[in-house]
Amino acid sequence: MSRLLYFHGFASSPASAKITALRPMLEPEVEMITPDLNVPSFEALDWNAIVERAVEVARGHPPDVIAGSSMGALVALAIAQRGFVAPLVLIAPALGIADRWRTQLPDGDPIFVFNHARHAEVPIHRKFFDQMSHLRVDSNPPPSRVTVIMGRADESVPFDIVEETWRRWKPRLAKSSKFIAIEDGDHGLTAHVDLIAREIREAIPNHT
């Protein structure tokens, strides 16, 4: 059995619509490990704690492939920098947008955002967005094969910025890395989970 380590996005959870749809498409041939990254809690979310949780899970469940959605793609890049080398599948990745985490915010602290896991507006401290605005885990490409899946109609992460990050990475990317643009794809990409599942399977070394 192959093992997929999958990181959910911001204001989401291991019970996200994408994970829920992907699981029956991949299992039992591909075991999905989907840690909860809302640590220590969503209200007090901390990037360093998120990465430590991801590292802990990766140590306990060494992955054959690592996937991340939106913010989860940054987590995937962060653990790749910590020495966990496996093919990456980055879904609607939040690449090249560090400054937007802070500049798009309203005033005040805490800030209320819609949490998809709770289906409600939930407060979160401003410190987390300050952390993310200084994050540069996407400055350099990871050493392993990378597949980026990005919708041109993404309403949260600008397609052009992600594409520009890809172009900057391209000369140093591992062989067979690829960028997949989905013409009608939004940020959730839940209408395209079959494509995502196919690319995850394809990324697994020696998978048949």
PDB file of all heavy atoms in Angstrom, residues 98-111:
ATOM      1  N   ALA A  98       2.662  35.952  -0.001  1.00  0.00           N
ATOM      2  CA  ALA A  98       2.909  36.213   1.423  1.00  0.00           C
ATOM      3  C   ALA A  98       2.325  37.546   1.886  1.00  0.00           C
ATOM      4  O   ALA A  98       1.662  37.624   2.926  1.00  0.00           O
ATOM      5  CB  ALA A  98       4.406  36.163   1.701  1.00  0.00           C
ATOM      6  N   ASP A  99       2.549  38.604   1.123  1.00  0.00           N
ATOM      7  CA  ASP A  99       2.083  39.926   1.541  1.00  0.00           C
ATOM      8  C   ASP A  99       0.560  40.015   1.629  1.00  0.00           C
ATOM      9  O   ASP A  99       0.018  40.781   2.434  1.00  0.00           O
ATOM     10  CB  ASP A  99       2.600  41.000   0.587  1.00  0.00           C
ATOM     11  CG  ASP A  99       4.105  41.177   0.676  1.00  0.00           C
ATOM     12  OD1 ASP A  99       4.682  40.764   1.697  1.00  0.00           O
ATOM     13  OD2 ASP A  99       4.694  41.712  -0.270  1.00  0.00           O
ATOM     14  N   ARG A 100      -0.136  39.236   0.814  1.00  0.00           N
ATOM     15  CA  ARG A 100      -1.599  39.303   0.800  1.00  0.00           C
ATOM     16  C   ARG A 100      -2.222  38.803   2.099  1.00  0.00           C
ATOM     17  O   ARG A 100      -3.343  39.190   2.436  1.00  0.00           O
ATOM     18  CB  ARG A 100      -2.156  38.497  -0.380  1.00  0.00           C
ATOM     19  CG  ARG A 100      -1.877  39.124  -1.735  1.00  0.00           C
ATOM     20  CD  ARG A 100      -2.313  38.197  -2.853  1.00  0.00           C
ATOM     21  NE  ARG A 100      -3.731  37.931  -2.836  1.00  0.00           N
ATOM     22  CZ  ARG A 100      -4.665  38.664  -3.457  1.00  0.00           C
ATOM     23  NH1 ARG A 100      -4.287  39.736  -4.140  1.00  0.00           N
ATOM     24  NH2 ARG A 100      -5.931  38.343  -3.398  1.00  0.00           N
ATOM     25  N   TRP A 101      -1.529  37.950   2.840  1.00  0.00           N
ATOM     26  CA  TRP A 101      -2.066  37.475   4.107  1.00  0.00           C
ATOM     27  C   TRP A 101      -2.330  38.635   5.064  1.00  0.00           C
ATOM     28  O   TRP A 101      -3.253  38.586   5.868  1.00  0.00           O
ATOM     29  CB  TRP A 101      -1.090  36.499   4.766  1.00  0.00           C
ATOM     30  CG  TRP A 101      -1.042  35.152   4.127  1.00  0.00           C
ATOM     31  CD1 TRP A 101      -0.191  34.744   3.139  1.00  0.00           C
ATOM     32  CD2 TRP A 101      -1.871  34.023   4.414  1.00  0.00           C
ATOM     33  NE1 TRP A 101      -0.444  33.435   2.806  1.00  0.00           N
ATOM     34  CE2 TRP A 101      -1.458  32.961   3.569  1.00  0.00           C
ATOM     35  CE3 TRP A 101      -2.924  33.793   5.310  1.00  0.00           C
ATOM     36  CZ2 TRP A 101      -2.049  31.699   3.597  1.00  0.00           C
ATOM     37  CZ3 TRP A 101      -3.505  32.531   5.347  1.00  0.00           C
ATOM     38  CH2 TRP A 101      -3.088  31.511   4.503  1.00  0.00           C
ATOM     39  N   ARG A 102      -1.524  39.695   4.941  1.00  0.00           N
ATOM     40  CA  ARG A 102      -1.679  40.835   5.850  1.00  0.00           C
ATOM     41  C   ARG A 102      -2.416  41.991   5.194  1.00  0.00           C
ATOM     42  O   ARG A 102      -3.301  42.601   5.804  1.00  0.00           O
ATOM     43  CB  ARG A 102      -0.298  41.300   6.320  1.00  0.00           C
ATOM     44  CG  ARG A 102      -0.344  42.445   7.340  1.00  0.00           C
ATOM     45  CD  ARG A 102       1.065  42.851   7.735  1.00  0.00           C
ATOM     46  NE  ARG A 102       1.820  43.302   6.575  1.00  0.00           N
ATOM     47  CZ  ARG A 102       3.107  43.038   6.374  1.00  0.00           C
ATOM     48  NH1 ARG A 102       3.772  42.303   7.245  1.00  0.00           N
ATOM     49  NH2 ARG A 102       3.723  43.493   5.301  1.00  0.00           N
ATOM     50  N   THR A 103      -2.101  42.283   3.942  1.00  0.00           N
ATOM     51  CA  THR A 103      -2.640  43.491   3.311  1.00  0.00           C
ATOM     52  C   THR A 103      -4.123  43.388   2.976  1.00  0.00           C
ATOM     53  O   THR A 103      -4.785  44.413   2.808  1.00  0.00           O
ATOM     54  CB  THR A 103      -1.862  43.815   2.024  1.00  0.00           C
ATOM     55  OG1 THR A 103      -1.952  42.710   1.120  1.00  0.00           O
ATOM     56  CG2 THR A 103      -0.396  44.087   2.329  1.00  0.00           C
ATOM     57  N   GLN A 104      -4.666  42.188   2.887  1.00  0.00           N
ATOM     58  CA  GLN A 104      -6.077  42.029   2.560  1.00  0.00           C
ATOM     59  C   GLN A 104      -6.974  42.003   3.793  1.00  0.00           C
ATOM     60  O   GLN A 104      -8.182  41.800   3.681  1.00  0.00           O
ATOM     61  CB  GLN A 104      -6.278  40.731   1.768  1.00  0.00           C
ATOM     62  CG  GLN A 104      -5.467  40.645   0.477  1.00  0.00           C
ATOM     63  CD  GLN A 104      -5.890  41.674  -0.553  1.00  0.00           C
ATOM     64  OE1 GLN A 104      -7.066  41.833  -0.834  1.00  0.00           O
ATOM     65  NE2 GLN A 104      -4.922  42.393  -1.104  1.00  0.00           N
ATOM     66  N   LEU A 105      -6.390  42.238   4.966  1.00  0.00           N
ATOM     67  CA  LEU A 105      -7.148  42.102   6.211  1.00  0.00           C
ATOM     68  C   LEU A 105      -7.870  43.385   6.602  1.00  0.00           C
ATOM     69  O   LEU A 105      -7.390  44.492   6.345  1.00  0.00           O
ATOM     70  CB  LEU A 105      -6.206  41.739   7.364  1.00  0.00           C
ATOM     71  CG  LEU A 105      -5.533  40.378   7.335  1.00  0.00           C
ATOM     72  CD1 LEU A 105      -4.604  40.256   8.538  1.00  0.00           C
ATOM     73  CD2 LEU A 105      -6.573  39.275   7.354  1.00  0.00           C
ATOM     74  N   PRO A 106      -9.012  43.238   7.291  1.00  0.00           N
ATOM     75  CA  PRO A 106      -9.625  44.401   7.934  1.00  0.00           C
ATOM     76  C   PRO A 106      -8.835  44.773   9.183  1.00  0.00           C
ATOM     77  O   PRO A 106      -7.948  44.025   9.620  1.00  0.00           O
ATOM     78  CB  PRO A 106     -11.022  43.896   8.302  1.00  0.00           C
ATOM     79  CG  PRO A 106     -10.840  42.426   8.514  1.00  0.00           C
ATOM     80  CD  PRO A 106      -9.801  42.004   7.507  1.00  0.00           C
ATOM     81  N   ASP A 107      -9.143  45.907   9.748  1.00  0.00           N
ATOM     82  CA  ASP A 107      -8.499  46.325  10.989  1.00  0.00           C
ATOM     83  C   ASP A 107      -9.004  45.461  12.150  1.00  0.00           C
ATOM     84  O   ASP A 107     -10.048  44.836  12.075  1.00  0.00           O
ATOM     85  CB  ASP A 107      -8.798  47.799  11.274  1.00  0.00           C
ATOM     86  CG  ASP A 107      -8.173  48.730  10.240  1.00  0.00           C
ATOM     87  OD1 ASP A 107      -7.156  48.330   9.649  1.00  0.00           O
ATOM     88  OD2 ASP A 107      -8.727  49.823  10.028  1.00  0.00           O
ATOM     89  N   GLY A 108      -8.241  45.515  13.247  1.00  0.00           N
ATOM     90  CA  GLY A 108      -8.696  44.871  14.474  1.00  0.00           C
ATOM     91  C   GLY A 108      -7.995  43.565  14.785  1.00  0.00           C
ATOM     92  O   GLY A 108      -7.258  43.012  13.974  1.00  0.00           O
ATOM     93  N   ASP A 109      -8.224  43.091  16.010  1.00  0.00           N
ATOM     94  CA  ASP A 109      -7.661  41.838  16.496  1.00  0.00           C
ATOM     95  C   ASP A 109      -8.539  41.359  17.651  1.00  0.00           C
ATOM     96  O   ASP A 109      -8.707  42.096  18.636  1.00  0.00           O
ATOM     97  CB  ASP A 109      -6.226  42.064  16.976  1.00  0.00           C
ATOM     98  CG  ASP A 109      -5.504  40.777  17.316  1.00  0.00           C
ATOM     99  OD1 ASP A 109      -6.043  39.697  17.012  1.00  0.00           O
ATOM    100  OD2 ASP A 109      -4.390  40.853  17.868  1.00  0.00           O
ATOM    101  N   PRO A 110      -9.169  40.195  17.563  1.00  0.00           N
ATOM    102  CA  PRO A 110      -9.028  39.192  16.516  1.00  0.00           C
ATOM    103  C   PRO A 110      -9.772  39.590  15.235  1.00  0.00           C
ATOM    104  O   PRO A 110     -10.521  40.558  15.200  1.00  0.00           O
ATOM    105  CB  PRO A 110      -9.652  37.941  17.127  1.00  0.00           C
ATOM    106  CG  PRO A 110     -10.725  38.482  18.016  1.00  0.00           C
ATOM    107  CD  PRO A 110     -10.132  39.742  18.595  1.00  0.00           C
ATOM    108  N   ILE A 111      -9.539  38.780  14.200  1.00  0.00           N
ATOM    109  CA  ILE A 111     -10.194  38.958  12.906  1.00  0.00           C
ATOM    110  C   ILE A 111     -11.168  37.804  12.711  1.00  0.00           C
ATOM    111  O   ILE A 111     -10.844  36.643  13.024  1.00  0.00           O
ATOM    112  CB  ILE A 111      -9.148  38.973  11.777  1.00  0.00           C
ATOM    113  CG1 ILE A 111      -8.240  40.196  11.957  1.00  0.00           C
ATOM    114  CG2 ILE A 111      -9.793  38.968  10.408  1.00  0.00           C
ATOM    115  CD1 ILE A 111      -6.938  40.094  11.228  1.00  0.00           C
TER     116      ILE A 111
END
